[in-house]
């Protein structure tokens, strides 16, 4: 029995916070395969001259192709750090939304899925919006894909009620989020499956509000 603890660390403008993502227990059906991933970087200049730099560093995946002892079950444990830097006199801060897209027998690396000033993307002519849900337990059939956010931060809303946020909010000119052994659990996919990290950043300055999205490299999960 393997016990894995997933921890997300969120830091912004010199402050740090820890978010516990829970304990995951798995049975060892097959040996894990460790996959180092290159991460990435994107730099965008907003209309008011603010420069936004988004980086994905320390990215990796640990793949187990058949945790349910059948070809339609797969598990992966993913880790990375999302880092954001802003330059410009009007920068006020931003919000970081890290997540993953998972596809079953669909090419999530084609059709122009690249980083850009957008929260939308396409693959093979199909459009999607990144980060629909939180949590990585997914059921997909052939030709389907879903996205999810890594974070699920519990905090009080403006009225003191409990709310769950999928972002880390930072003030000033820098912020980051780090996650370790976040689980992607996929069932129902009898063919090949892929996953791909994304980091969506909402930036606010004195004059503009914009979204910049960085995409990681697609990787096979069996």
């Amino acid at each position: 029995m393997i016990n894995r603890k997933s921890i997300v660390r969120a830091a912004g403008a010199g402050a740090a916070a820890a978010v516990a993502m829970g304990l995951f227990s798995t049975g060892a059906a097959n040996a894990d395969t460790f996959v180092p991933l290159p991460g990435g970087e994107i730099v965008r200049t907003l209309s008011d001259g603010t420069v936004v730099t988004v980086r994905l560093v320390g990215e990796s995946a640990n793949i187990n192709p058949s945790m349910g002892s059948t070809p339609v079950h797969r598990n992966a444990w993913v880790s990375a750090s999302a880092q954001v830097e802003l330059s410009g006199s009007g920068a006020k801060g931003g919000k970081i939304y890290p997540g993953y897209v998972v596809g079953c027998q669909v090419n999530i690396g084609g059709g122009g899925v690249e980083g850009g000033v957008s929260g939308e993307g396409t693959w093979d002519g199909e459009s999607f919006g990144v980060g629909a849900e939180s949590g990585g337990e997914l059921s997909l059939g052939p030709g389907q894909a879903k996205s999810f956010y890594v974070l699920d931060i519990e905090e009080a809303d403006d009225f003191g009620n409990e709310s769950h946020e999928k972002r880390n909010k930072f003030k000033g000119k820098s912020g980051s989020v780090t996650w370790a052994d976040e689980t992607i659990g996929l069932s129902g996919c009898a063919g090949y499956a892929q996953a791909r990290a994304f980091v969506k950043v909402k930036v606010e300055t004195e004059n503009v509000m914009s979204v910049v999205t960085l995409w990681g490299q697609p990787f096979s999960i069996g």
Side-chain angles (χ1 to χ4, degrees):
M1 185 71 69
I2 302 172
N3 291 321
R4 297 178 181 271
K5 186 175 182 181
S6 179
I7 298 177
V8 173
R9 295 192 302 275
V19 182
M21 298 299 291
L23 293 173
F24 301 93
S25 297
T26 60
N30 291 307
D32 292 355
T33 300
F34 179 77
V35 181
L37 294 164
E41 177 177 321
I42 188 172
V43 180
R44 288 289 183 266
T45 302
L46 306 185
S47 60
D48 66 348
T50 300
V51 178
V52 182
T53 302
V54 184
R55 298 184 182 93
L56 185 65
V57 301
E59 188 187 7
S60 66
N62 214 18
I63 313 298
N64 191 304
S66 185
M67 293 304 297
S69 299
T70 73
V72 297
H73 290 83
R74 298 167 178 83
N75 261 34
W77 296 275
V78 290
S79 304
S81 179
Q83 303 173 355
V84 180
E85 293 181 3
L86 310 177
S87 64
S89 59
K92 291 184 175 181
K95 300 174 182 178
I96 307 172
Y97 298 78
Y100 288 82
V101 174
V102 182
C104 174
Q105 297 186 47
V106 62
N107 179 18
I108 60 175
V113 183
E114 301 294 340
V117 188
S118 173
E120 304 293 319
T122 63
W123 64 73
D124 295 344
E126 298 294 328
S127 63
F128 67 98
V130 296
E133 303 291 343
S134 61
E137 297 296 329
L138 307 172
S139 179
L140 297 175
Q144 294 182 328
K146 290 183 180 179
S147 58
F148 70 93
Y149 289 120
V150 169
L151 298 181
D152 184 9
I153 300 175
E154 182 179 320
E155 59 184 42
D157 62 17
D158 294 338
F159 302 98
N161 299 316
E162 178 183 309
S163 67
H164 291 262
E165 299 292 344
K166 301 174 179 65
R167 85 305 182 254
N168 175 48
K169 186 177 182 180
F170 68 93
K171 295 181 179 180
K173 295 187 176 182
S174 66
S176 67
V177 175
T178 299
W179 58 98
D181 287 344
E182 170 70 11
T183 297
I184 298 175
L186 176 61
S187 62
C189 182
Y192 74 88
Q194 289 183 310
R196 189 178 195 182
F198 65 83
V199 181
K200 182 171 70 172
V201 180
K202 293 184 178 180
V203 179
E204 181 179 356
T205 74
E206 293 178 352
N207 300 305
V208 299
M209 295 181 66
S210 188
V211 176
V212 178
T213 303
L214 169 66
W215 291 95
Q217 176 179 290
F219 57 93
S220 172
I221 56 175

